[in-house]
Amino acid sequence: GQQLNQSPQSMFIQEGEDVSMNCTSSSIFNTWLWYKQDPGEGPVLLIALYKAGELTSNGRLTAQFGITRKDSFLNISASIPSDVGIYFCAGPSNSGGSNYKLTFGKGTLLTVNP
Amino acid sequence: GAVVSQHPSRVICKSGTSVKIECRSLDFQATTMFWYRQFPKQSLMLMATSNEGSKATYEQGVEKDKFLINHASLTLSTLTVTSAHPEDSSFYICSVTQGNSEAFFGQGTRLTVV
């Protein structure tokens, strides 16, 4: 099946710094989704991308849909302590003809030191 | 986005007993819901697709007799872990999909089997 390679696996940064993480795939995705998961909670949708080359912002978050449709990145600017959590990229799997089954990256664990 | 409520948030049970987890779509009629399992420091793994009024579709390697799924209405899907064993201890999360592949997740259920 489709796989998403997410990097880095973890990041330790100081408050105020910018952060960048990315996902790549060997196959094409038509949608890229970025989620954040706090400990003991379900993932929360941050940004959804639908068009190749699309650049979308949500507050301090910016994400881009790669032009080849095989990659996406998420940037967080001026990080704050509440940005701590695990960030996942995800895309709909093509297996079984369903566009709604999501494939997830392995996640990026972000730690922000005050 | 869709509001998804999961209950209970935590449950501890004895080996050999069964545990039922509920997933409710509070503001959206969901013909399809998804059940995921997440081990510590790992990504979400899709277990099964819950289909309203019909049988669930299980991912490869997931025992359908072990993880019983019922989707009796457009707002409720249940996952029953039967004859639970310690290796079934995990974080279980449900989701509904709205719009163009955007998934919205419940708060998750932490199952501990002792």
Side-chain angles (χ1 to χ4, degrees):
Chain A
Q2 293 178 314
Q3 291 187 342
L4 295 179
N5 301 307
Q6 187 172 347
S7 64
Q9 187 174 358
S10 62
M11 301 183 73
F12 298 84
I13 62 172
Q14 293 296 125
E15 183 177 0
E17 291 183 350
D18 298 342
V19 171
S20 183
M21 58 194 79
N22 69 84
C23 271
T24 61
S25 172
S26 58
S27 53
I28 289 174
F29 278 80
N30 293 318
T31 301
W32 283 93
L33 305 170
W34 284 94
Y35 288 87
K36 182 193 177 194
Q37 185 178 27
D38 291 327
E41 299 288 334
V44 174
L45 181 64
L46 299 174
I47 292 180
L49 302 161
Y50 300 111
K51 292 174 59 176
E54 178 182 358
L55 182 70
T56 298
S57 294
N58 178 8
R60 294 178 295 106
L61 278 60
T62 302
Q64 185 159 29
F65 193 148
I67 200 71
T68 64
R69 295 187 176 181
K70 293 183 178 181
D71 64 298
S72 175
F73 72 74
L74 174 69
N75 286 345
I76 305 173
S77 62
S79 59
I80 58 178
S82 61
D83 290 334
V84 166
I86 303 177
Y87 292 80
F88 293 101
C89 60
S93 169
N94 292 333
S95 63
S98 169
N99 286 325
Y100 294 156
K101 292 167 61 173
L102 289 183
T103 298
F104 281 84
K106 293 187 182 300
T108 296
L109 173 62
L110 178 63
T111 302
V112 180
N113 295 318
Chain B
V3 179
V4 182
S5 178
Q6 207 171 320
H7 179 81
S9 57
R10 292 175 179 269
V11 59
I12 300 174
C13 71
K14 292 184 178 181
S15 289
T17 62
S18 295
V19 174
K20 180 184 287 187
I21 303 170
E22 293 185 346
C23 179
R24 294 183 183 274
S25 177
L26 299 183
D27 60 350
F28 176 69
Q29 293 188 323
T31 56
T32 303
M33 294 186 182
F34 299 90
W35 286 96
Y36 294 82
R37 183 174 183 177
Q38 185 179 32
F39 290 107
K41 298 184 179 180
Q42 293 191 20
S43 189
L44 285 75
M45 295 298 296
L46 181 65
M47 298 174 64
T49 303
S50 173
N51 303 300
E52 189 266 336
S54 63
K55 292 182 179 179
T57 306
Y58 290 83
E59 296 299 301
Q60 190 173 10
V62 178
E63 300 175 59
K64 61 181 181 180
D65 295 330
K66 173 76 170 175
F67 300 100
L68 299 179
I69 291 173
N70 183 276
H71 194 151
S73 77
L74 290 171
T75 59
L76 175 64
S77 174
T78 60
L79 169 68
T80 301
V81 183
T82 63
S83 186
H85 291 283
E87 56 265 32
D88 297 326
S89 298
S90 189
F91 193 56
Y92 293 88
I93 316 172
C94 67
S95 76
V96 302
T97 298
Q98 193 174 41
N100 192 5
S101 303
E102 296 178 16
F104 297 92
F105 291 85
Q107 308 94 315
T109 297
R110 173 73 60 193
L111 170 63
T112 303
V113 184
V114 297

